[in-house]
Amino acid sequence: MPLIFLCRFLCLIALVIGICPATAQTAASVRQPTGDVYVDLQGVLRWQQNKQEVALFGVNYTAPFAYAYRAGQKVGADAEKAIAQDVYHLSRLGLDAFRVHVWDVEITDTLGNLQQNEHLRLLDYLVDQLKQRGIKVVLTPIAYWNNGYPEKDTGTGFSSIYSKVQAYTNPRAIRAQENYLTQFLNHRNTYTKQLNREDPDIIAFEVCNEPRYRKPEAEVTAFANRMVAAMRATGYRKPIFYNVSENPDVAEAILAANVDGLTFQWYPAGLVSGHTMRGNLLPHVDQYPIPFRDDPRFKRRAKLVYEFESADIIQPVMYPFMARSFREAGFQWATQFAYDPLAIAYANTEYQTHYLNLAYTPGKAISMLIASKVFHRVGRGQTFGRYPQDSVFDAFRVSYRQGLSEMNTDEEFYYTTSTQTVARRASRLRHVAGVGSSPLVQYGGTGAYFLDRLAAGVWRLEVLPDAVAIRDPFETASLKKPVTQILWNDQPLRLTLAELGNRFSLRGLNEGNTAQSQATDGRVTVRPGVYIVAAAGKNTSAWTAQSQLGSLRLGEYAAPAPTVLGPQVRHTPVAQATAGQSLTIRATLTGLEAADSVFLIAQHYYGRTQALPMRRPAYATVEVTVPAELTYAGLLRYWIVLKKAGQQLTFPGGFSGSPRDWDYFSQEHWEVPLVAANTPLFLFQAGVDKEQVEARGLHRNNWVDYVTTEAAGALALRFVQGVTKPGTPALAAEAGPAASLRAYFGDKLLGRMTELSAFKEVVVRARASQPVGVQVRLATKDAAAFAAPVTLTTQMQEVRIPLSAFQPSALLLSPRPYPGFLPLQFQSAGKPAFKLADAEVLQLLVDAATSVGSEPVQVDIESVQLR
């Protein structure tokens, strides 16, 4: 037998018993079938090769275009290397779908002629990289955007001169789009050498991104059919999708068009709140009901989600629920918008309201991995009931209270934060990924890690650097302002996989990683990188950096360099604390080494001062308990002092020296009011909380503002209901309240927990320009809502509501989910009793009112407090 055949024969046998290094395949990396797809008569997207249903889950990613391209240049990133790194991470997360609305404005002229430029070349390169990882592609050739956001526009294509409305009504704009679609589908990729219309990995096209249409429907249908005809004239035969959710009032026009599939998006809590949203938002993603789902024309079309995101939410619990809801609604493709390029993710500047990157948001990224598993495991149309009953479904568990998403099967175990869950069949595990610790992996760092079994007693370990959030990532963004700090540290690791034993070996595999060590009692120290981990006595020389693991090479590794910032502190004081009781103060502190020491300097304003050593309960976390002798009624001021190499650094501010030095001049400090047990507790103060609440008008011609009141000059939140012109038709989306305030107050209770039972009423200080009804709702950590109605008068006054008056109610899904046809209210199952200790969100719902006269209706909310 020739040597090459002998090697292949032996490797085939080895593969069967699980020890062939060069061809190791994993369940997590099985590639989708190659070849084309089609839509059957029941509207199901299927693979031509085997007639199986398509189920693909992934992201949008915009590095070749617009701001992402320009920002990459500003930070000096190599464009091709940056794309290759990001695609590696997408594959590492088990994603198999990619979609992007191509910035036509950057690759066309005003007549729709395709321009052979750097943007088009990089798109070609990106598609080639995705193909190599088995990631399927849907392209939307027409974006209808210029390229400036968040900067000035510089695009010169047809979208720079025609508006969205003109795009389907102006004959020259229509001809330009037909010309462009023809050339784009006939474009030959520089790297793959295939025409876009023939590439088997580009499985479909969506004609255009988020068009803007109005009645009559016939004009919209005619335009859609012209675009489809132009694409079909090239010889393209695969599915063509069209957006139906952006203009639901003209959905009839798209249902009547010659398209194979329909596209939808989902932003369940709106966009651009300007801060991190807190509280239990799982009800926002509990279901995705489609209003025309019973229309026969809808049923025979394939369904695709082109964009989705839990915007302004960092909690790693939303994506698995979204994936489950998509499958229940019948979707076969879903792509998040948008994955942040590694080169600029440190500042989250591409889209301030979105934030997802494996290195910089590890918990959220692992939740995306889990969501992909949900999308592939849950059947199309399968349902598991409504929240909270559905928080455990199939192999998955989602817990808002623990900030945890999990997948637990015989072969896979994934988790987004530390968990006590025991792996279902540890002896049969093949893949583990997580953040934090579990019974299988105890890890001291904050980055994500992956364990993949190569053979009995041989695993690949990949460890990402520590990522520490140092600012709110959803505030106004700037490349000058890092929001996440990356640190490369030696971190303790303990593995309790039985087949590895307690004395396993560790060998570095990625470029530049020469580490070698042996575990003691299952414990080793690791730095970011890739390793071969093997039971004692195992020979691992056959596994090299070039050995394959599905679509990955064993030695591949991509991670950002350490952030050059020095120590950073992130801390927010509690709003109030009970006087005479000890107070625990906790903060995030980076750059802390074993030889360093940290102290809290606590001062009762001009009174007694103490230096209190701070504990280190977890990496980058410090805490201390201030004794009751310092917490008598008054004001507690404090600073955190880091002593490093004989030097002192004081926070807030990061100033040299200590507040106890005679020449320490900085006035920055933190402070906490220390109050008596009968002191009111504010749940909302307009003058204090305006940057951390969600205040929205929910009807047309409604808006919000902040004004000062005449009597005391206090700041008040103003809801304005503009005058509606006679004869204006009502919109279905405008049923329900006219405006709402949502304020998270869970953190405000922390310093008063021991006396919550003493609070008896909610007091609203407010007024209206005419009598208006307002509903006050309190929502719990389990998303159960309790409401009490009040009527505001024209006088600024305190309206007192006994806590006993609050009755079970629906929860307003505010900010309003998008698209606007989605539910605005959520009713929790069961009848839980109201417990103030579980409450965390205040909602004020302003009733729709008819203006008396020609002036708009105004409602001013100054404060809401517990007494």
Side-chain angles (χ1 to χ4, degrees), residues 62-74 100-107 119 122 143 145-155 344 350-351:
T62 66
F65 300 108
Y67 174 80
Y69 172 79
R70 298 192 304 269
Q73 289 187 314
K74 288 180 182 177
V100 72
H101 54 64
V102 176
W103 268 264
D104 54 275
V105 76
E106 291 191 319
I107 61 171
H119 300 292
L122 288 175
W145 305 119
N146 212 310
N147 67 343
Y149 179 86
E151 300 168 327
K152 293 181 179 179
D153 293 331
T154 59
I344 58 174
E350 186 187 22
Y351 291 96

Side-chain angles (χ1 to χ4, degrees), residues 67 346-347 349 471 477-483 565:
Y67 174 80
Y346 72 91
T349 54
R471 293 185 180 89
S478 169
L479 285 174
K480 302 174 185 175
K481 187 184 78 171
V483 297
L565 277 180

Side-chain angles (χ1 to χ4, degrees), residues 655-728:
F655 296 99
S656 296
S658 165
R660 306 183 83 172
D661 296 340
W662 71 269
D663 58 351
Y664 187 82
F665 58 86
S666 171
Q667 297 301 304
E668 292 189 50
H669 62 276
W670 291 292
E671 61 185 33
V672 176
L674 303 166
V675 299
N678 60 352
T679 304
L681 173 62
F682 284 99
L683 304 182
F684 167 73
Q685 284 179 282
V688 175
D689 299 318
K690 58 184 180 299
E691 302 299 332
Q692 294 296 323
V693 300
E694 295 84 46
R696 302 284 194 274
L698 300 175
H699 291 188
R700 289 171 299 181
N701 206 28
N702 288 9
W703 65 94
V704 298
D705 200 354
Y706 283 91
V707 299
T708 51
T709 58
E710 294 85 351
L715 202 65
L717 169 64
R718 170 166 289 180
F719 294 104
V720 182
Q721 299 184 46
V723 178
T724 302
K725 294 180 180 179
T728 301

Side-chain angles (χ1 to χ4, degrees), residues 184-187 195-199 205 234-236 238:
F184 187 80
L185 266 67
N186 283 324
H187 169 68
L195 299 179
N196 281 344
R197 62 181 169 86
E198 294 178 345
D199 190 328
F205 285 88
T234 66
Y236 174 75
K238 285 182 283 189

Side-chain angles (χ1 to χ4, degrees), residues 107-434:
I107 61 171
T108 65
D109 62 17
T110 57
L111 300 178
N113 293 310
L114 196 62
Q115 306 296 295
Q116 301 295 326
N117 59 22
E118 183 70 355
H119 300 292
L120 185 59
R121 184 189 73 81
L122 288 175
L123 176 61
D124 287 351
Y125 179 77
L126 172 58
V127 169
D128 182 53
Q129 289 290 305
L130 293 164
K131 284 169 63 68
Q132 292 180 38
R133 304 290 184 177
I135 298 174
K136 304 303 180 183
V137 177
V138 169
L139 293 178
T140 304
I142 303 172
Y144 291 137
W145 305 119
N146 212 310
N147 67 343
Y149 179 86
E151 300 168 327
K152 293 181 179 179
D153 293 331
T154 59
T156 57
F158 59 82
S159 288
S160 70
I161 62 172
Y162 300 115
S163 69
K164 285 190 177 185
V165 172
Q166 290 172 326
Y168 83 100
T169 58
N170 184 304
R172 287 174 297 182
I174 295 171
R175 287 195 296 272
Q177 291 169 89
E178 290 174 318
N179 185 35
Y180 165 60
L181 287 172
T182 300
Q183 294 187 29
F184 187 80
L185 266 67
N186 283 324
H187 169 68
R188 189 174 298 278
N189 186 298
T190 305
Y191 297 90
T192 69
K193 307 305 180 185
Q194 293 178 312
L195 299 179
N196 281 344
R197 62 181 169 86
E198 294 178 345
D199 190 328
D201 291 307
I202 301 178
I203 66 169
F205 285 88
E206 178 195 27
V207 175
C208 53
N209 182 74
E210 298 182 353
R212 182 171 299 144
Y213 296 141
R214 60 195 179 196
K215 295 184 177 182
E217 286 94 341
E219 196 172 20
V220 177
T221 304
F223 172 77
N225 286 342
R226 281 191 66 170
M227 296 302 104
V228 171
M231 297 172 74
R232 293 299 185 203
T234 66
Y236 174 75
R237 293 293 176 264
K238 285 182 283 189
I240 296 176
F241 286 78
Y242 213 96
N243 185 303
V244 72
S245 59
E246 187 73 5
N247 304 274
D249 52 326
V250 294
E252 177 70 25
I254 308 305
L255 293 173
N258 299 327
V259 298
D260 305 293
L262 305 171
T263 69
F264 295 77
Q265 80 277 64
W266 199 7
Y267 293 113
L271 295 168
V272 197
S273 288
H275 58 269
T276 297
M277 290 185 60
R278 296 176 292 172
N280 189 345
L281 293 147
L282 287 173
H284 286 249
V285 291
D286 191 45
Q287 58 177 323
Y288 193 100
I290 300 169
F292 35 87
R293 59 187 177 273
D294 294 326
D295 190 306
R297 296 166 300 175
F298 173 80
K299 291 181 177 180
R300 69 170 183 262
R301 266 58 179 265
K303 292 86 179 172
L304 176 155
V305 177
Y306 67 96
E307 291 180 12
F308 72 90
E309 171 65 311
S310 53
D312 301 312
I313 300 168
I314 205 68
Q315 301 170 28
V317 297
M318 303 292 280
Y319 291 152
F321 257 42
M322 297 180 84
R324 189 221 63 214
S325 295
F326 287 146
R327 293 301 278 159
E328 180 182 9
F331 291 108
Q332 294 182 258
W333 170 289
T335 38
Q336 180 266 359
F337 189 92
Y339 188 85
D340 284 83
L342 185 67
I344 58 174
Y346 72 91
N348 194 32
T349 54
E350 186 187 22
Y351 291 96
Q352 166 193 336
T353 195
H354 308 289
Y355 200 25
L356 175 65
N357 180 275
L358 174 57
Y360 286 91
T361 64
K364 196 173 181 182
I366 297 297
S367 79
M368 190 70 178
L369 181 159
I370 295 170
S372 180
K373 298 295 181 180
V374 172
F375 200 83
H376 289 87
R377 282 182 63 99
V378 169
R380 180 175 52 86
Q382 186 176 2
T383 184
F384 295 92
R386 300 273 65 88
Y387 182 78
Q389 287 85 352
D390 61 352
S391 56
V392 177
F393 60 98
D394 196 85
F396 307 97
R397 181 168 76 96
V398 176
S399 170
Y400 162 71
R401 286 180 179 254
Q402 294 177 270
L404 173 67
S405 296
E406 284 181 345
M407 176 182 180
N408 192 358
T409 70
D410 285 0
E411 295 190 346
E412 298 174 277
F413 185 35
Y414 308 124
Y415 42 91
T416 60
T417 190
S418 292
T419 178
Q420 295 301 314
T421 298
V422 175
R424 182 175 169 179
R425 295 283 294 275
S427 62
R428 295 184 59 183
L429 277 175
R430 297 297 181 266
H431 311 283
V432 178

Side-chain angles (χ1 to χ4, degrees), residues 34-53:
T34 58
D36 294 338
V37 299
Y38 69 99
V39 181
D40 71 14
L41 296 178
Q42 287 73 47
V44 179
L45 192 64
R46 296 185 182 277
W47 298 106
Q48 287 279 10
Q49 180 183 358
N50 57 17
K51 313 307 179 189
Q52 295 298 307
E53 291 191 15

